[in-house]
Amino acid sequence: MKRILIVLTGILVLTSCQTDKKTEKKLETVVPERTELSQDSKIFLGNRLFSEKTCITCHAIDREHKAPSVVDIMHVYKANNADIVSFLKGYAKPIVDTTASQVAIMQANIDGFLKQITDVELDAIATYMMHVDELSKK
Ligand code: HEC
């Protein structure tokens, strides 16, 4: 009987440790690679990713912080009919702030985690940035 109790307590302790670990794990949005998203879902997902991928720590919505604001970026991209996704994939050169030191900061992002992001997620981020810009005009 005693042995059974010890084993049971052991199992309880083990399982409670496991649940602790689960709750500690950082919540991250996972999106299957081929997902058809509505415009609203893209904006919602893009908004989440913009904080999760730390874009928001440098890019404020409508004021210059450490980097150009989303509104300023969209202004330049729309005027030039340019594609944010191409830039984020490293296919297109920067057109907003071409100061070497600033470009290097953003380039470090592109070289890092942005390589591990899916097309669906990049598209969502671009859609969100466009949406924020349109909202700021209302
Ligand atoms: C550590 C700060 C930092 C973070 C984090 C950051 N950026 Fe930037 N970003 C910059 C700076 C500085 C520039 C200005 C240089 C430039 O225009 O390339 C910039 C420029 C840009 C541009 C304009 C590029 C152009 O054509 O000139 C886009 C678009 C952009 N960032 C998107 C993002 C997105 C999306 C994320 C998150 C996935 C992100 N950034 C995260 C600092 C950052």
Side-chain angles (χ1 to χ4, degrees):
M1 184 64 190
K2 219 177 185 182
R3 196 176 275 176
I4 293 178
L5 265 181
I6 291 171
V7 171
L8 272 181
T9 337
I11 291 174
L12 271 179
V13 170
L14 269 181
T15 42
S16 59
C17 284
Q18 267 171 353
T19 37
D20 271 349
K21 256 189 210 147
K22 249 186 209 156
T23 41
E24 266 171 33
K25 206 178 153 221
K26 210 177 124 222
L27 279 176
E28 232 179 79
T29 317
V30 178
V31 188
E33 203 141 330
R34 282 164 209 251
T35 318
E36 288 285 332
L37 294 175
S38 69
Q39 179 77 358
D40 282 350
S41 310
K42 280 186 197 173
I43 293 169
F44 182 80
L45 173 65
N47 188 359
R48 277 204 66 143
L49 292 170
F50 206 76
S51 352
E52 228 171 67
K53 305 287 178 195
T54 72
C55 320
I56 196 78
T57 59
C58 293
H59 297 285
I61 300 303
D62 58 4
R63 73 194 152 84
E64 181 93 21
H65 181 41
K66 294 179 192 164
S69 70
V70 175
V71 170
D72 285 346
I73 293 176
M74 290 322 300
H75 185 80
V76 176
Y77 269 75
K78 280 181 185 167
N80 289 278
N81 205 6
D83 177 17
I84 289 215
V85 174
S86 300
F87 169 75
L88 292 177
K89 282 188 157 186
Y91 300 155
K93 285 197 158 63
I95 53 172
V96 178
D97 185 343
T98 48
T99 321
S101 56
Q102 291 294 86
V103 169
I105 296 174
M106 186 57 207
Q107 189 62 45
N109 280 307
I110 295 175
D111 293 341
F113 55 80
L114 276 172
K115 286 260 160 73
Q116 289 151 26
I117 208 168
T118 65
D119 285 357
V120 176
E121 291 171 324
L122 280 178
D123 182 38
I125 290 179
T127 310
Y128 165 72
M129 289 176 78
M130 191 97 79
H131 171 75
V132 166
D133 177 54
E134 274 151 22
L135 274 190
S136 73
K137 291 199 189 96
K138 283 184 185 153

